[in-house]
Amino acid sequence: MTDTVLRRNVAPVHAAIETFIDESIALRHDFHRHPELAWDEHRTGGRVAELLRGWGYAVTTGVGGTGLVGTLTRGDGTRSLGIRADMDALPIEEASGLEFASEAPGRMHACGHDGHTTILLTAARYLAEQGTFSGTLHLIFQPAEEIGQGAKRMIADGLFERFPCDAVYGLHNWPGLPAGKLGFVDGPAMASVDWIGIRVVGKGGHGAAPHETVDPVVAAAHLITALQTIVSRNVAPLDTAVVTVGSIHGGDAANVIPDHVDLKLTVRTFRPEVRDALQARIPELARQVLAGFGATAEIEQRPGFPSVINHPAETAFARDVATGLFGAEGLIADLAPRTASEDFAFMLQARPGSFLFVGTGDGAPLHSPRYRFNDAVIAPAAAFWARLAETYLS
């Protein structure tokens, strides 16, 4: 499906969106040129607030730091709906070759948050100008998703007490999935994430006299191998888990055995019980393996955030809305959960809702310096948000 066909496909549904889609695309390019890292989304948030106010939304800034909420109430309906988009960029030097590439050295929208923000703003404009609903709509623009802190801080700042939501929804673009098609996952949709640091402490010495040392390099090598057995031997075959040693550092010279070696791990699961089990098993295994070499372990466990677990009724509702809008051919059948992580998980712990995916077609993966967001998905994704809001608040 070409970009032009994809963009024009939504015209029978929300022709109004097509009348200003080029403005939305230009807005996305502007966001892309000016990426801002977590807690620094001042320009982005300011532009979002300006647009929302111009369309008649009541805007509250400074929610959980640099977050903001746009609220629009119509009719006498008592239901309320929240839709969330993230705004922050990544500390990546862009290599996309785009003519509107980042103008900020070492910063890039390599995860498509500029696209997510634009999609929600496009829906916001339509709903303000032509939307038909009765109730209250809260549009949540969240900071600091990339470091997993924004959602939690907005919630701690009274997000759902100040802006009550009967349900909350979010989406993420996904390269490699068919462009413009929507994907829904029942139950766990994205993995939890935790970080563990292990310092393997030995006794350093001369590389020519290893018998006089407790070699932490050899001990660390055996530990890394042993850690690979956790998923295969401590996790049930029908469950999913990832234990990755992403960093190992020890020593500086070939003829010196260092005193210690540092390992950094990322751990991902879908089920809370599996997450808890791995948080106990990894330190236990590390201590026992290292003891066999006369080494010890200094362990730092840094909790990340839980898995994104979609609620059944809200997911079924969103799937029905998408099917009615695009037909079954507009959906991705049997979409599997993603092992990446998302702090939208905290919002789904606080309120019922669902997190869905929109395909962006072939291209570099998320977090790549060569990543390119597909502008052709803005219109259909915005049409979905608009129809979701109109249907939920009918």
Side-chain angles (χ1 to χ4, degrees):
M1 182 180 290
T2 66
D3 286 358
T4 300
V5 172
L6 181 59
R7 284 177 54 191
R8 301 307 170 193
N9 249 4
V10 300
V13 183
H14 285 310
I17 288 178
E18 283 298 324
T19 66
F20 60 81
I21 191 61
D22 291 333
E23 295 175 52
S24 292
I25 292 172
L27 178 65
R28 207 280 294 181
H29 294 181
D30 179 69
F31 287 145
H32 192 85
R33 284 192 184 95
H34 304 283
E36 295 172 308
L37 301 181
W39 308 127
D40 192 38
E41 305 93 342
H42 300 291
R43 182 186 185 277
T44 304
R47 184 71 176 127
V48 170
E50 176 188 27
L51 289 168
L52 290 175
R53 289 192 180 103
W55 297 329
Y57 286 79
V59 177
T60 305
T61 60
V63 182
T66 46
L68 63 102
V69 178
T71 299
L72 188 64
T73 300
R74 284 192 176 149
D76 57 4
T78 59
R79 299 186 87 187
S80 57
L81 175 68
I83 305 177
R84 172 269 208 175
D86 37 19
M87 300 186 293
D88 57 324
L90 283 158
I92 293 175
E93 187 69 36
E94 183 162 357
S96 67
L98 293 169
E99 61 181 31
F100 53 88
S102 170
E103 296 178 1
R107 299 196 300 247
M108 176 192 176
H109 271 296
C111 203
H113 293 188
D114 52 340
H116 302 164
T117 296
T118 302
I119 288 168
L120 190 52
L121 285 172
T122 302
R125 178 173 175 178
Y126 165 79
L127 288 165
E129 295 176 351
Q130 299 191 37
T132 302
F133 64 90
S134 181
T136 299
L137 176 66
H138 296 301
L139 304 184
I140 302 165
F141 291 87
Q142 181 201 308
E145 187 281 326
E146 294 293 0
I147 62 173
Q149 297 179 17
K152 194 172 184 179
R153 191 174 294 186
M154 289 188 82
I155 293 169
D157 197 19
L159 174 65
F160 293 122
E161 290 75 32
R162 299 162 64 186
F163 311 96
C165 296
D166 296 316
V168 63
Y169 288 88
L171 66 71
H172 207 293
N173 80 96
W174 211 268
L177 296 178
K181 290 192 175 185
L182 299 178
F184 300 86
V185 180
D186 295 312
M190 298 188 77
S192 63
V193 59
D194 297 292
W195 296 275
I196 299 179
I198 302 176
R199 170 161 287 188
V200 180
V201 181
K203 176 186 176 184
H206 201 295
H211 60 290
E212 297 175 354
T213 73
V214 175
D215 191 339
V217 177
V218 173
H222 281 266
L223 174 57
I224 291 171
T225 300
L227 287 169
Q228 307 312 305
T229 68
I230 288 180
V231 174
S232 67
R233 291 298 176 267
N234 298 130
V235 176
L238 297 182
D239 282 324
T240 300
V242 176
V243 177
T244 293
V245 180
S247 172
I248 175 170
H249 180 78
D252 296 299
N255 63 342
V256 176
I257 293 174
D259 283 323
H260 64 266
V261 170
D262 290 321
L263 307 179
K264 294 180 181 179
L265 287 68
T266 183
V267 182
R268 304 190 183 234
T269 67
F270 287 118
R271 295 177 57 224
E273 311 92 277
V274 178
R275 183 188 187 194
D276 292 342
L278 263 60
Q279 289 302 301
R281 178 59 178 153
I282 290 172
E284 177 188 38
L285 181 64
R287 293 187 178 100
Q288 292 180 355
V289 168
L290 297 180
F293 293 87
T296 59
E298 295 177 0
I299 299 173
E300 178 188 8
Q301 293 177 268
R302 185 159 61 93
F305 33 96
S307 55
V308 173
I309 301 179
N310 288 332
H311 295 246
E314 287 70 25
T315 303
F317 173 80
R319 184 185 283 112
D320 288 345
V321 169
T323 302
L325 188 60
F326 300 114
E329 65 276 11
L331 276 63
I332 303 168
D334 303 320
L335 180 64
R338 314 281 100 179
T339 52
S341 303
E342 241 284 351
D343 77 344
F344 189 73
F346 290 117
M347 294 195 182
L348 291 179
Q349 285 187 332
R351 291 294 183 274
S354 191
F355 193 73
L356 57 127
F357 303 91
V358 57
T360 52
D362 295 334
L366 301 173
H367 291 212
S368 165
R370 293 171 294 281
Y371 166 83
R372 294 185 176 197
F373 181 85
N374 187 348
D375 288 327
V377 310
I378 295 174
F384 169 75
W385 278 150
R387 177 57 60 87
L388 182 83
E390 288 181 319
T391 306
Y392 193 88
L393 301 175
S394 61

